[in-house]
Amino acid sequence: MAQQLKMQLLVCGGTGCRASESESIEAALARELKAHGLENEAKVITTGCFGFCEKGPIVKVHPDNTFYTQVTPADAREIVEEHVLKGRKVERLLYTDPENKEHVPDSRHMGFYRKQIRIALRNCGFINPENIDEYLARDGYEALGKCLAEMTPDAVIDIMKKSGLRGRGGGGFPTGLKWEITRKSVADQKYVVCNADEGDPGAFMDRSILEGDPHAILEAMAICGYAIGATKGLIYIRAEYPLAIKRLKIAIDQAMEYGLLGKNIFETGFDFDVELRYGAGAFVCGEETALIHSMEGSRGEPTFKPPFPSVEGYMGKPTNVNNVETFANVPIIINKGADWFASIGTERSKGTKVFALAGKINNVGLIEVPMGTTLREVIFEIGGGIKDGKEFKAVQTGGPSGGCLTQKHLDIPIEYETLVEAGSMMGSGGMIVMDEDDCMVSMAKFYLEFTVEESCGKCSPCRIGNKRLHEMLETVTEGKATMETLEKLKNLSNVIKDTSLCGLGQTAPNPVLSTLNNFWDEYLEHVEDHKCRAGACKSLMRYVIIPDNCVGCTACARNCPVNCISGERKQVHEIDQSTCIKCGTCMEKCKFNAIEIV
Amino acid sequence: MSSIKIKLKEKDVAKIIEICDSFDNNPGDLINVLHKVQGEFGYLPAEVQEVVSNQLKVSLAKIYGVVTFYSFFTMIPRGKHPISICTGTACYVRGAEKVLDEFKKVLGIKVGESTADGKFSLTCLRCVGACGLAPVVQIGDKTYGRLAPDDVKRILDEYADN
């Protein structure tokens, strides 16, 4: 950051805030600064995501940590005239604490940030990701220099092993060990691959890191290259992330220009360059072997392991695949040491984890907490609890491969192992919160629909089995299932888990099994009582007229698209259930609250 | 394969060849080539795939296999204003399905179809990563957030004149 300036106006340039016109806010702020002759006093800087997407677009003022939420271009003048010129904060734009209804002038005191420790997200929201000098000013590329100048590759691997860092893409495999295996594989060419194919719907940490701090990933990949003996890095990134791609390209060009990538880095004789490869929308490509096939220009179908990519990967050469968040931790571990990193988190899971909070939660956004934090702290303290004061019902962790956890799991500390024991998994860190209005059978069906669509079709347990699971769930939501169906659901789920070729199939039945376990009574209600307590399963709903409230205005009958409502003027009407399509139009049109769902 | 038969103009063929050349006709770059070509033509009809096949010396069957495997590639022309509804989990939980139903109703088309005048096409996609704005819809390059079914008509009206 430019130090000579008194003030910096940091505007979030992440995908979420961009969609809410943060670019116009930047332009308006810059225009106002100019109009007031304040160009030398303050500067507008575009940064990566602040994480607090719920109240975007965000503008943060440095150095006083003022956090303005839901800013519009029209607010620019007031921010400049009041805050920059007169030093008075614009009260109405400050974040309001939902509990005491008071404005919070300093972002460090917001409930959302208080419990967070930002390691992987350390630069997101602080620096301009399109300017390498800002990354350098925050110790950027220092770790790479240290590795190349002072450490042997074995020493680098040793630090990674001691730090206890584990893969953040889901599996949780020890990163240092993976590097060591790839280092020991003998070949004329090896590859470092960054998995940026963030396919888990509802997870957006990798995108935010790439958009907010692309150099950290490049630096980490070069360190990995040095450690394992590779000179080539490839980033496999989703084509759906145009902004991240743009910023990565800029970062690669700048790093090449500064001699931090390319030939003879820091004049140590070490060469490393990075290329981008684009995904084309296939969830299964998050699996390493499928990802490698996709990079080679083929269908992204997984193959049996072993051989592991560390031995035989891209183009048949040893390949080390790590995901974005894993890499984001590497430079800071080198700089601050393995002991520092290992001191954060729990015995088995070290460091922090980034989670994407979404769904029925007050503070949707990106957070980073030490391992061992409880789900309750994440959802209620950082996440601000459930939207519209409703009741918490479940949280899905680990995306479509994970499971639904409930009230009784809220106090378990988050670790790789504890989540698996509870019937879910860490996954890439998506957390979708559900409330009383969500039907758990429908949620399981939704996830299965996703898996069926994304199954590559190579092995039959996944291709056929998941389709059958989906069909059975469909009968449950339609009220046509029997107790036998539920039994079959369970059995088939276990068969698919045991016999599928890759991680996608092996984990696909998790949402079914976890909901069967944790919400058995809800399944029972669907089957035995033909009832959906959340009112989400259309086939099980009935619209009926409350005779006491009906005045016979005929509004419902006139608007019914299938003419299934009968009744004379000023007489109580009736809905013919056999022809009703449950569109809800009658309920919308009724002005007397005379129609209810049972 | 696609039932739509088209005849490629000479300059279109030249463009495809140029793109293939820029990747040194390397079969390993097939996906990158297809991204570029789709960027140029908007979709990947069989005739286009044939040219790519000849250039990269990759069988047409393999190319068809790749095109149909990845959801990003399409063999059907998209509308002038392609509408993509995010049906990722976060959007789903916040009512994306109702918004999708409204688009289908108002436009009178199903997912994967285009309107008769070629103006709009409708697809679903999985998570654009703007979960804070759920439910999210993209029309062309523009992103609309926090939508309710009632907003659909108003949004489509923005495109009334072009």
Side-chain angles (χ1 to χ4, degrees):
Chain A
M1 277 174 273
Q3 295 303 328
Q4 73 277 18
L5 292 165
K6 251 169 59 188
M7 215 176 249
Q8 283 119 22
L9 307 174
L10 308 175
V11 183
C12 178
T15 292
C17 286
R18 274 279 155 98
S20 321
E21 297 183 89
S22 71
E23 274 172 302
S24 314
I25 299 170
E26 279 161 47
L29 283 170
R31 207 167 46 232
E32 289 299 328
L33 285 177
K34 196 155 183 249
H36 291 82
L38 294 167
E39 299 115 297
N40 296 323
E41 293 287 316
K43 193 181 169 198
V44 183
I45 297 170
T46 315
T47 69
C49 181
F50 291 96
F52 200 49
C53 309
E54 179 69 34
K55 296 271 185 222
I58 306 287
V59 175
K60 190 172 171 182
V61 184
H62 252 265
D64 55 21
N65 289 315
T66 307
F67 200 81
Y68 290 131
T69 57
Q70 293 177 318
V71 179
T72 65
D75 298 324
R77 171 175 294 209
E78 199 177 339
I79 292 175
V80 169
E81 285 182 353
E82 286 295 308
H83 196 141
V84 182
L85 200 59
K86 300 176 188 158
R88 289 195 296 237
K89 298 191 178 189
V90 184
E91 290 282 330
R92 66 179 177 86
L93 294 173
L94 289 174
Y95 173 71
T96 313
D97 188 302
E99 278 190 8
N100 57 22
K101 307 280 176 240
E102 278 176 23
H103 292 310
V104 185
D106 187 324
S107 63
R108 286 168 302 181
H109 301 144
M110 287 165 60
F112 183 74
Y113 286 111
R114 222 181 291 138
K115 289 219 161 170
Q116 293 198 44
I117 297 184
R118 290 163 87 90
I119 295 175
L121 300 175
R122 61 192 176 279
N123 289 328
C124 291
F126 280 99
I127 61 169
N128 178 350
E130 298 183 10
N131 184 350
I132 188 170
D133 292 329
E134 298 200 4
Y135 181 67
L136 291 171
R138 283 175 66 92
D139 302 334
Y141 291 99
E142 203 178 293
L144 178 60
K146 193 171 162 189
C147 289
L148 295 183
E150 301 166 18
M151 295 165 78
T152 62
D154 286 323
V156 176
I157 289 174
D158 206 44
I159 286 201
M160 295 315 295
K161 281 169 78 176
K162 277 203 185 122
S163 73
L165 176 66
R166 295 168 66 178
R168 298 292 193 246
F173 192 80
T175 307
L177 186 59
K178 205 178 208 176
W179 289 19
E180 190 176 39
I181 299 169
T182 324
R183 169 155 188 82
K184 285 185 178 156
S185 302
V186 184
D188 53 347
Q189 175 72 55
K190 295 180 192 177
Y191 295 97
V192 175
V193 171
C194 173
N195 181 351
D197 188 53
E198 192 168 45
D200 170 1
F204 49 97
M205 60 283 294
D206 292 349
R207 196 211 68 213
S208 291
I209 293 171
L210 292 170
E211 284 176 4
D213 196 13
H215 284 288
I217 304 306
L218 300 180
E219 182 180 5
M221 288 177 73
I223 292 171
C224 177
Y226 174 70
I228 66 166
T231 57
K232 214 160 177 48
L234 296 156
I235 301 176
Y236 183 83
I237 184 164
R238 299 179 74 191
E240 287 94 333
Y241 286 175
L243 189 60
I245 291 172
K246 182 186 147 207
R247 290 192 177 151
L248 270 174
K249 281 184 175 165
I250 293 172
I252 292 172
D253 286 348
Q254 288 176 343
M256 292 290 279
E257 195 188 312
Y258 276 56
L260 299 165
L261 282 181
K263 293 253 174 273
N264 195 17
I265 298 170
F266 290 125
E267 303 192 345
T268 55
F270 174 63
D271 303 338
F272 194 78
D273 57 57
V274 175
E275 266 178 44
L276 299 185
R277 287 295 155 94
Y278 303 119
F283 179 64
V284 69
C285 287
E287 202 278 343
E288 336 181 272
T289 59
L291 181 150
I292 287 167
H293 292 305
S294 180
M295 288 203 311
E296 291 167 347
S298 300
R299 289 164 71 103
E301 289 170 353
T303 38
F304 188 74
K305 293 193 276 193
F308 287 91
S310 298
V311 179
E312 204 181 309
Y314 182 63
M315 299 305 204
K317 304 290 183 190
T319 304
N320 184 84
V321 186
N322 283 132
N323 103 315
V324 174
E325 192 190 332
T326 314
F327 275 130
N329 281 294
V330 171
I332 196 163
I333 291 175
I334 301 287
N335 279 337
K336 291 198 170 185
D339 292 339
W340 165 79
F341 190 79
S343 71
I344 303 162
T346 67
E347 188 59 40
R348 294 179 291 186
S349 304
K350 302 293 184 194
T352 56
K353 178 76 193 87
V354 182
F355 291 102
L357 291 179
K360 307 278 183 60
I361 189 160
N362 277 318
N363 302 339
V364 168
L366 210 57
I367 63 151
E368 183 170 354
V369 289
M371 294 279 189
T373 306
T374 64
L375 283 168
R376 188 184 300 280
E377 287 171 297
V378 169
I379 295 167
F380 290 92
E381 291 183 33
I382 299 170
I386 310 303
K387 256 200 156 32
D388 305 324
K390 297 227 168 144
E391 198 68 36
F392 166 82
K393 185 167 190 179
V395 55
Q396 169 91 7
T397 68
S401 314
C404 280
L405 300 177
T406 66
Q407 197 82 33
K408 68 173 187 237
H409 300 110
L410 280 177
D411 291 312
I412 58 168
I414 300 170
E415 288 181 305
Y416 290 97
E417 285 78 12
T418 49
L419 289 180
V420 171
E421 281 156 22
S424 182
M425 63 187 271
M426 183 79 82
S428 56
M431 259 195 203
I432 311 277
V433 176
M434 296 159 216
D435 68 10
E436 55 199 281
D437 293 338
D438 291 305
C439 162
M440 299 320 287
V441 184
S442 302
M443 277 319 295
K445 194 179 89 176
F446 168 80
Y447 281 114
L448 254 295
E449 207 175 287
F450 178 84
T451 329
V452 168
E453 208 177 290
E454 293 296 337
S455 169
C456 78
K458 186 171 178 172
C459 73
S460 37
C462 177
R463 182 184 66 241
I464 304 169
N466 284 316
K467 181 128 181 97
R468 289 286 166 271
L469 279 186
H470 182 256
E471 284 166 5
M472 282 191 247
L473 287 169
E474 186 106 13
T475 61
V476 178
T477 58
E478 284 170 354
K480 292 178 188 158
T482 61
M483 289 307 286
E484 204 193 331
T485 318
L486 298 187
E487 197 54 41
K488 275 188 185 161
L489 265 177
K490 210 178 232 171
N491 290 339
L492 183 56
S493 292
N494 285 320
V495 171
I496 297 170
K497 263 181 97 105
D498 292 343
T499 54
S500 289
L501 175 64
C502 82
L504 191 150
Q506 286 158 14
T507 55
N510 280 352
V512 183
L513 287 171
S514 68
T515 47
L516 276 170
N517 272 336
N518 295 324
F519 297 95
W520 175 247
D521 46 344
E522 237 176 272
Y523 276 88
L524 271 188
E525 274 174 16
H526 279 78
V527 173
E528 293 186 330
D529 311 334
H530 303 282
K531 205 172 163 245
C532 170
R533 65 169 85 168
C537 296
K538 259 191 180 180
S539 314
L540 302 180
M541 280 173 7
R542 283 193 312 134
Y543 285 90
V544 292
I545 290 174
I546 308 167
D548 287 350
N549 291 4
C550 181
V551 297
C553 73
T554 75
C556 57
R558 277 182 285 120
N559 285 293
C560 175
V562 290
N563 295 321
C564 74
I565 306 178
S566 55
E568 295 295 316
R569 268 191 89 79
K570 296 191 178 164
Q571 299 287 315
V572 173
H573 283 48
E574 199 184 346
I575 299 173
D576 176 7
Q577 297 298 337
S578 62
T579 43
C580 172
I581 55 165
K582 289 145 189 166
C583 65
T585 307
C586 51
M587 201 163 170
E588 261 169 48
K589 297 291 173 188
C590 179
K591 293 194 181 87
F592 304 93
N593 289 326
I595 295 171
E596 65 174 346
I597 301 172
V598 294
Chain B
M1 281 215 182
S2 158
S3 58
I4 308 158
K5 280 266 173 275
I6 58 155
K7 180 122 183 59
L8 289 176
K9 294 192 192 86
E10 236 166 74
K11 72 168 178 35
D12 293 340
V13 175
K15 184 75 210 171
I16 301 168
I17 293 175
E18 188 193 316
I19 291 171
C20 293
D21 282 345
S22 72
F23 289 96
D24 300 328
N25 293 312
N26 176 14
D29 275 316
L30 175 60
I31 291 176
N32 286 340
V33 168
L34 293 175
H35 269 298
K36 268 261 165 78
V37 174
Q38 180 163 299
E40 196 68 36
F41 296 91
Y43 69 119
L44 296 167
E47 293 75 5
V48 167
Q49 294 178 33
E50 261 171 57
V51 182
V52 175
S53 162
N54 288 333
Q55 289 308 111
L56 301 190
K57 306 279 179 292
V58 173
S59 77
L60 189 56
K62 175 165 176 182
I63 295 182
Y64 177 69
V66 168
V67 169
T68 50
F69 184 84
Y70 295 99
S71 61
F72 204 83
F73 298 132
T74 170
M75 292 179 62
I76 304 161
R78 291 188 303 172
K80 192 176 167 200
H81 304 291
I83 303 172
S84 310
I85 320 267
C86 180
T87 48
T89 322
C91 287
Y92 173 80
V93 170
R94 284 200 182 176
E97 223 176 358
K98 288 190 186 119
V99 175
L100 173 62
D101 286 343
E102 187 67 16
F103 270 107
K104 285 198 254 184
K105 202 166 102 189
V106 175
L107 295 172
I109 53 173
K110 290 193 212 117
V111 174
E113 293 181 346
S114 303
T115 50
D117 58 2
K119 199 165 163 182
F120 296 106
S121 57
L122 193 60
T123 50
C124 287
L125 55 80
R126 297 283 187 190
C127 201
V128 290
C131 309
L133 301 173
V136 172
V137 170
Q138 288 186 323
I139 302 184
D141 290 332
K142 198 160 175 204
T143 308
Y144 298 86
R146 299 198 176 101
L147 289 186
D150 288 348
D151 300 321
V152 170
K153 277 207 183 86
R154 177 180 55 79
I155 289 172
L156 289 175
D157 284 345
E158 287 179 25
Y159 299 87
D161 301 327
N162 54 27

